[in-house]
Amino acid sequence: MKAVVTSLGSRSVLVHADGLGEIRCSLRGHLWETSEEETRPLAVGDRVSLSPDLTHGEDQCLEGVIEDVAPRRNRIARAPAGSRGAPGKRDPTKRGPGGGSAGRRPDQESGGRSRHTAAGKVQVIAANIDQILVVAALHSPPFRPGLVDRFLVAAAAEEIDVLLILNKVDLANHDDERSVVEPFQQAGYSVIQTSTVTGEGIEELATAMASGIHLLVGHSGTGKSSLLNAVAPTLNLTTSEVTAHHGRGRHTTTHVSLLPLPAGGWVIDSPGIREWVLEGVSPALLARLYPGFGEIPHECHYGDCLHRDEPQCALRQAVEEGLYPKDRYACYLRVLADLQGS
């Protein structure tokens, strides 16, 4: 029987199987040995094969045993703590549960990616994602372009579609919105501006989530749970206000879970993130994935140009000539320094 992982517990896994609904499962022993680089042998969104017991546990939930895990189309993962600038070795034949390397581009096979295994195991947030919804706010908490850029780079590395959601627009003026939105729209990203107070953009967001599996990510306090409640009130997720003294939100979502939506799609709700360490992206690959750079990095004189202080750099020349915004280039340099551990 085929199913999809919806939630992970300390000793069991919840999956959803068409026609049967939710099933609580244990794992065959060999599955615990398949992941040498990940903190858990499974992630939310994994496709699994199971043997259902078809009996009910004490809470009337069906029970079963996961026998195997299908190869992933993609994954979004966080590098382990302390891994900045410390890329490790990886086995190109292993791509999480089930092995395989489906969806990897030639430049990824050539060593442009690393899995940071030398510094510790990575935390896979979700797998087999159709679209990433990056939620940000202009105020309360303030917009953090570096964090948004890291999400966009992670999505580009796995070739996952992205929808950028600028939430709480009722707290901002039009000039603020335009200055934030335009660079991402010019880079080719779709942007929806939303407000759970006025209802702006909620119907458009619900339509965008009507099919497929969507991963919701963003800084703590940007209103992810409130947006989901507006799109699907039956979810009734816990929400909280941003604290005034430091402008940060609290984690109202405490674990990753796959939730069904009324229109037919699924959403993976994840805890708010205040810091994101890119996993599997080398400094040499960063510019080719960075939002808005387009083909500029390919025009540099040196193929391994990091676009920092190398001669005949097409990207720095574009910045100097006003063809690319200086503030966006400064964001790139900060992410690059983060990857290099400097």
Side-chain angles (χ1 to χ4, degrees), residues 228-311:
L228 286 183
N229 284 338
V231 169
T234 55
L235 294 178
N236 195 29
L237 300 176
T238 302
T239 62
S240 68
E241 298 296 327
V242 173
T243 54
H245 69 284
H246 55 44
R248 294 180 177 178
R250 293 181 296 175
H251 299 303
T252 52
T253 300
T254 57
H255 65 282
V256 181
S257 55
L258 179 63
L259 306 171
L261 297 172
W266 293 79
V267 63
I268 300 174
D269 190 20
S270 64
I273 295 169
R274 292 175 183 160
E275 182 180 13
W276 182 272
V277 182
L278 281 170
E279 185 277 327
V281 177
S282 70
L285 184 58
L286 177 63
R288 298 174 186 268
L289 301 172
Y290 210 78
F293 282 3
E295 296 299 314
I296 299 176
H298 297 271
E299 300 171 4
C300 292
H301 182 74
Y302 297 100
D304 60 351
C305 183
L306 296 180
H307 321 287
R308 184 177 52 195
D309 50 18
E310 295 84 355

Side-chain angles (χ1 to χ4, degrees), residues 75-80 83-88 90 95 105 107-108 111-116 122 149-159 276-291 306 332 335-341:
R75 76 176 194 181
I76 290 295
R78 298 176 69 177
S83 64
R84 284 187 174 90
R90 67 176 179 86
R95 187 175 173 81
R105 302 186 305 274
D107 59 351
Q108 295 171 332
R113 297 168 61 91
S114 64
R115 292 300 187 190
H116 300 271
V122 300
D149 285 348
R150 285 168 172 82
F151 288 136
L152 299 181
V153 169
E158 293 289 333
E159 299 182 326
W276 182 272
V277 182
L278 281 170
E279 185 277 327
V281 177
S282 70
L285 184 58
L286 177 63
R288 298 174 186 268
L289 301 172
Y290 210 78
L306 296 180
Y332 162 77
V335 178
L336 177 64
D338 182 70
L339 285 178
Q340 295 181 311

Side-chain angles (χ1 to χ4, degrees), residues 207-223:
T207 300
M209 299 172 67
S211 63
I213 294 180
H214 310 270
L215 172 63
L216 197 69
V217 297
H219 188 276
S220 303
T222 53

Side-chain angles (χ1 to χ4, degrees), residues 316-337:
R316 288 195 297 113
Q317 182 178 349
V319 174
E320 292 168 1
E321 295 177 356
L323 301 177
Y324 190 80
K326 290 182 178 180
D327 58 339
R328 299 292 300 137
Y329 175 64
C331 284
Y332 162 77
L333 292 179
R334 288 194 290 271
V335 178
L336 177 64

